[in-house]
Amino acid sequence: MILSAQGLSIDFAGDLIFCDANFDIEDLDRVGLIGANGTGKTTLFRIITGEIEPTTGNIFISKNATVGTVEQHACTNPALTAYQETLTAFNDVIEIEKRLENIRNQIELCDKNKRIELIEEQDRLIDVYIKRDGLTYKARAKSALIGLGLTEDEINLQVSHLSGGQKTKVSLAKLLLSNANLILLDEPTNHLDINSVEWLEDFLKKYNGTAIIISHDRYFLDKTTTKTIEIEHNRVTMTNGNYSRFMQLKQERLEFQRREYLKTIKEIKRIEGIIAQQVTFSQERNYITIASKQKQIDRLKAELVKPESEEAELKLSFPIASESGNDVLFVENVSKSFGDKKLFDDVNMNIYKGERVFLVGPNGCGKSTLLKIIMGKLTSDTGRVIFGHNTRVGYFEQVQTEITSEKTVLDEVYDRFPKMLSGEIRKHLAAFQFRGDDVFKRMCDLSGGERAKVALLVIMLRGSNVLLLDEPTNHLDVASAEHLERALSDYKGTIICASHDRYFINKLASRIFVFAPDEFKEIEGNYDTYKSILDSALPEKSEKVDTVNDYKLRKEAASLERKRQTRIAKIEAEIVELEEEINFLSDELKRPEISSDYIKITEITDKLTELQKREDELFLEWEELNL
């Protein structure tokens, strides 16, 4: 067991976050930590790291556990490149390399007894070096950065020139490559496109440690987790299985609770009927029966478990004011570039009434740009966009630029629908979880999820029969995303949506348009259909696994490392000689008797060119050996 919680409770100034949490996490577990925003998921992480103390109870962490978080691996040296910063995750490996180099130099100079001692230390360090990925750590650092979505150019940028999202990717790469065997991941798929998320999924499947993951990406949780912890109604519940299995068991548990609750209420009413009947008899034995039956009622009420309240759930629906024609949208030969960067070319889409069309592709491929062109917010370079008869469009932007930040939530909605009574608006806001004084919050003070809910409410009240949605689940917690799914499943209009939420796509998509390199292709079906087509197109992986004796592998690795270090030393020595010769010839050119001799100048210049070419070749080889 790597971690255990016993009787864990936390409150802040009397505000209870969760109480009496008990759970155990074993080695190699992958645990999904879910719950609505504000329920205490990040607080639980802070308790595990020791940043805060629980109010009651204890967290027990194995003495063999090394806990790692993204914050611990934040970028600290802005002068380093992204690649160099990522390599700091292997500082222990780099120190071993330095020690092995020192040992190699000492072995050649020391006596026999000392040489034996050094060789034994060398063998031990090589073993540690190999286990800690010393032979591949530089390649792994580069692979992790590319896997998480950085380009070759971005990898070589200084940290100070990276965006916030790019720095987060570097910090995540450092955590994944670190020596931690218990990693805490808080929304690791933020800032990642689908390809990067799939790389992370594959990494976590192979990760030789334990991971606890806070995420609202349900597809990601299904792919990576083996257990699920939910924080809800101040309670912490652990279930074996991934997110979908957890939800299945939760629904079964809630249904059982409801049945037992109704059964108990029915029994209480039956006994109350008996008591009422006994009261009418007004005899002594009847009062004894009444007292006995009342005790039964008191016991049943004490044991009564009320089903979990659904009053605070998001109540979403998207009614349409009028139906559109059958032809909803035609996009013909649309292309768009920004400067020298071409986003997409010759895009064609025919979309019909009732379809649920999704745009899929990596970050920066142009999904949001295409939606903006359809809405007329951007102009295409070529082609045209034609809406069909009686289309009424509702547009949800990924960044809510149209929402005025200084207004209150109530004023924001009222200003858009001035004919609607204040009480009616408050009723709708309550359905979107804005109750009481929440309606007087300023828009600028809202979280991303709260602002998204206001935008969705505005779209809902417009009665649109076509919805253009740009990453609508980005800021929603798991529960809110599921309510949105149900509402869109019941929606009678047409949906055109850009999303990287694969679970969301699977639930709703009837067609997918994929922004692939140099093409824009159409696929009938949902994300799983698209993924199966991709997988079937990949070449089959060889099942052959090379098995090499560990002792032989260590010796070969040691031999390769010695050859590498020897070659580096020879190159450095040759470069020194070349530089001396280049300096000598350069000084020769300055001599008066040479500077006036054309033949001599030509000979020396040709020789200098040859030497500099050789020096460039050596520097290139030196850089490759030091990668």
Side-chain angles (χ1 to χ4, degrees):
M1 185 174 308
I2 197 164
L3 185 149
S4 178
Q6 295 180 8
L8 205 64
S9 299
I10 185 77
D11 67 71
F12 296 114
D15 182 16
L16 181 65
I17 307 301
F18 55 77
C19 64
D20 198 28
N22 297 278
F23 56 85
D24 297 323
I25 296 175
E26 307 289 341
D27 290 340
L28 304 182
D29 275 347
R30 308 285 190 272
V31 183
L33 179 54
I34 64 172
N37 294 335
T39 54
K41 303 185 294 296
T42 303
T43 299
L44 181 56
F45 270 13
R46 293 171 67 195
I47 293 173
I48 293 172
T49 59
E51 186 180 343
I52 60 174
E53 290 288 330
T55 306
T56 63
N58 294 286
I59 280 274
F60 299 97
I61 299 176
S62 167
K63 63 181 181 180
N64 298 319
T66 303
V67 182
T69 67
V70 167
E71 287 75 16
Q72 291 170 345
H73 292 84
C75 301
T76 54
N77 190 340
L80 296 179
T81 66
Y83 173 69
Q84 291 168 337
E85 178 70 34
T86 304
L87 286 180
T88 63
F90 293 100
N91 279 338
D92 55 327
V93 179
I94 293 168
E95 287 303 314
I96 293 174
E97 278 185 337
K98 291 177 181 177
R99 178 56 187 155
L100 285 171
E101 172 64 11
N102 289 335
I103 290 173
R104 185 182 69 81
N105 294 330
Q106 291 177 43
I107 284 176
E108 297 173 358
L109 303 173
C110 63
D111 59 33
K112 181 179 178 182
N113 291 334
K114 182 64 176 176
R115 187 179 297 119
I116 292 172
E117 182 183 326
L118 288 172
I119 289 172
E120 288 175 352
E121 183 185 358
Q122 184 183 57
D123 285 345
R124 180 181 61 80
L125 286 175
I126 288 173
D127 189 46
V128 175
Y129 185 75
I130 292 171
K131 287 179 180 178
R132 185 66 179 95
D133 300 312
L135 299 175
T136 59
Y137 77 93
K138 292 177 181 177
R140 290 190 70 212
K142 188 173 182 180
S143 174
L145 290 171
I146 291 173
L148 291 171
L150 269 67
T151 66
E152 291 277 358
D153 289 340
E154 289 166 348
I155 287 171
N156 294 311
L157 283 177
Q158 285 187 331
V159 168
S160 59
H161 296 151
L162 299 179
S163 68
Q166 289 167 335
K167 289 177 183 176
T168 299
K169 289 177 183 179
V170 173
S171 298
L172 177 58
K174 288 172 63 180
L175 170 60
L176 297 176
L177 298 172
S178 72
N179 212 19
N181 59 358
L182 171 58
I183 56 175
L184 309 181
L185 301 174
D186 194 345
E187 300 290 2
T189 61
N190 284 359
H191 308 293
L192 302 185
D193 58 29
I194 289 178
N195 291 337
S196 299
V197 173
E198 289 179 341
W199 178 89
L200 181 57
E201 287 169 356
D202 187 59
F203 183 96
L204 290 173
K205 286 175 187 174
K206 299 172 183 175
Y207 173 59
N208 190 32
T210 304
I212 308 175
I213 306 162
I214 297 173
S215 181
H216 64 273
D217 187 332
R218 294 156 294 168
Y219 199 99
F220 175 74
L221 290 171
D222 272 352
K223 287 287 186 181
T224 56
T225 59
T226 56
K227 290 181 178 178
T228 302
I229 294 176
E230 183 185 45
I231 306 178
E232 185 180 50
H233 302 304
N234 307 121
R235 293 197 302 275
V236 179
T237 307
M238 173 176 270
T239 304
N240 287 327
N242 62 13
Y243 174 78
S244 291
R245 176 59 177 161
F246 167 79
M247 287 304 298
Q248 177 190 349
L249 294 173
K250 181 180 179 180
Q251 291 306 316
E252 291 173 2
R253 175 172 55 83
L254 290 175
E255 185 56 35
F256 176 77
Q257 279 184 359
R258 291 187 188 100
R259 286 200 305 268
E260 289 298 303
Y261 179 78
L262 293 174
K263 181 179 173 182
T264 304
I265 290 295
K266 186 177 180 180
E267 178 64 9
I268 288 172
K269 288 181 177 178
R270 187 187 71 81
I271 297 171
E272 286 175 342
I274 294 173
I275 290 175
Q277 186 181 48
Q278 293 294 321
V279 168
T280 61
F281 297 150
S282 298
Q283 296 183 20
E284 185 178 345
R285 67 175 181 274
N286 301 121
Y287 289 111
I288 295 172
T289 302
I290 290 169
S292 174
K293 293 298 180 184
Q294 186 59 51
K295 286 180 180 178
Q296 274 186 270
I297 290 174
D298 293 342
R299 178 176 55 80
L300 287 171
K301 285 184 176 180
E303 296 173 354
L304 187 64
V305 177
K306 189 175 182 180
E308 294 171 3
S309 172
E310 297 181 356
E311 291 177 0
E313 286 188 353
L314 186 62
K315 294 178 175 63
L316 266 177
S317 66
F318 294 91
I320 59 176
S322 60
E323 294 193 6
S324 69
N326 189 56
D327 296 335
V328 171
L329 176 67
F330 296 122
V331 176
E332 298 178 352
N333 305 318
V334 168
S335 63
K336 185 65 181 177
S337 299
F338 290 100
D340 295 331
K341 182 180 180 182
K342 182 177 284 294
L343 283 183
F344 46 79
D345 189 35
D346 199 27
V347 168
N348 291 276
M349 296 192 301
N350 296 340
I351 298 172
Y352 303 99
K353 179 181 176 181
E355 285 198 299
R356 296 164 182 176
V357 175
F358 278 76
L359 307 179
V360 174
N363 291 342
C365 68
K367 302 186 296 293
S368 297
T369 299
L370 181 57
L371 290 181
K372 284 183 169 71
I373 289 172
I374 292 171
M375 284 300 299
K377 292 178 174 290
L378 284 176
T379 304
S380 62
D381 298 336
T382 64
R384 60 178 183 164
V385 173
I386 305 169
F387 277 103
H389 174 67
N390 200 36
T391 52
R392 188 171 183 173
V393 182
Y395 177 47
F396 179 92
E397 284 194 273
Q398 185 176 166
V399 180
Q400 301 300 322
T401 55
E402 291 188 355
I403 293 180
T404 308
S405 61
E406 293 300 321
K407 291 182 181 179
T408 66
V409 174
L410 183 61
D411 287 341
E412 182 66 43
V413 180
Y414 180 77
D415 287 351
R416 292 169 184 270
F417 303 95
K419 294 182 179 180
M420 193 173 288
L421 296 174
S422 177
E424 188 177 1
I425 292 175
R426 294 193 68 156
K427 175 184 171 185
H428 287 302
L429 285 170
F432 277 71
Q433 300 171 326
F434 291 98
R435 296 179 173 83
D437 290 340
D438 289 342
V439 302
F440 301 116
K441 286 182 179 179
R442 293 190 308 165
M443 294 300 301
C444 59
D445 296 329
L446 298 184
S447 67
E450 289 171 325
R451 195 169 297 187
K453 289 172 187 176
V454 175
L456 289 169
L457 172 58
V458 169
I459 293 172
M460 184 193 87
L461 294 176
R462 282 178 176 156
S464 306
N465 53 31
V466 180
L467 297 180
L468 262 64
L469 309 174
D470 192 358
E471 302 289 2
T473 62
N474 251 14
H475 297 289
L476 299 181
D477 56 39
V478 170
S480 297
E482 292 195 331
H483 296 317
L484 177 60
E485 274 169 16
R486 286 195 287 269
L488 293 177
S489 294
D490 296 334
Y491 177 60
K492 303 303 181 186
T494 305
I495 300 170
I496 305 164
C497 180
S499 180
H500 66 272
D501 187 335
R502 295 162 295 167
Y503 200 98
F504 185 68
I505 299 170
N506 260 354
K507 287 283 187 179
L508 295 170
S510 59
R511 265 200 300 165
I512 292 175
F513 286 94
V514 183
F515 288 77
D518 302 321
E519 65 175 328
F520 183 75
K521 57 186 178 182
E522 175 185 352
I523 293 170
E524 294 286 339
N526 61 10
Y527 183 80
D528 282 345
T529 307
Y530 163 57
K531 193 71 171 71
S532 65
I533 292 171
L534 277 184
D535 291 344
S536 65
L538 293 174
E540 290 186 12
K541 292 182 179 179
S542 172
E543 296 297 323
K544 183 180 178 182
V545 179
D546 294 325
T547 56
V548 182
N549 181 272
D550 286 345
Y551 175 78
K552 184 180 178 183
L553 181 63
R554 285 198 299 273
K555 292 300 180 185
E556 287 177 355
S559 175
L560 287 171
E561 177 61 18
R562 284 195 294 271
K563 287 177 181 178
R564 186 180 76 88
Q565 295 289 351
T566 300
R567 180 57 187 154
I568 288 172
K570 287 181 178 179
I571 289 171
E572 289 172 347
E574 188 175 348
I575 287 172
V576 169
E577 291 177 3
L578 284 170
E579 286 179 344
E580 289 177 354
E581 192 170 355
I582 288 168
N583 291 334
F584 172 76
L585 291 174
S586 297
D587 290 340
E588 284 289 290
L589 284 174
K590 297 173 185 177
R591 290 173 54 194
E593 61 268 32
I594 299 293
S595 60
S596 59
D597 187 335
Y598 175 76
I599 295 173
K600 279 285 184 183
I601 289 174
T602 303
E603 289 176 357
I604 293 173
T605 302
D606 288 344
K607 183 64 175 175
L608 277 172
T609 302
E610 184 181 336
L611 292 173
Q612 287 166 346
K613 181 181 177 182
R614 175 57 180 163
E615 187 180 35
D616 289 342
E617 290 172 354
L618 289 172
F619 269 121
L620 183 62
E621 186 181 356
W622 185 87
E623 287 177 356
E624 288 174 350
L625 287 169
N626 280 280
L627 280 177

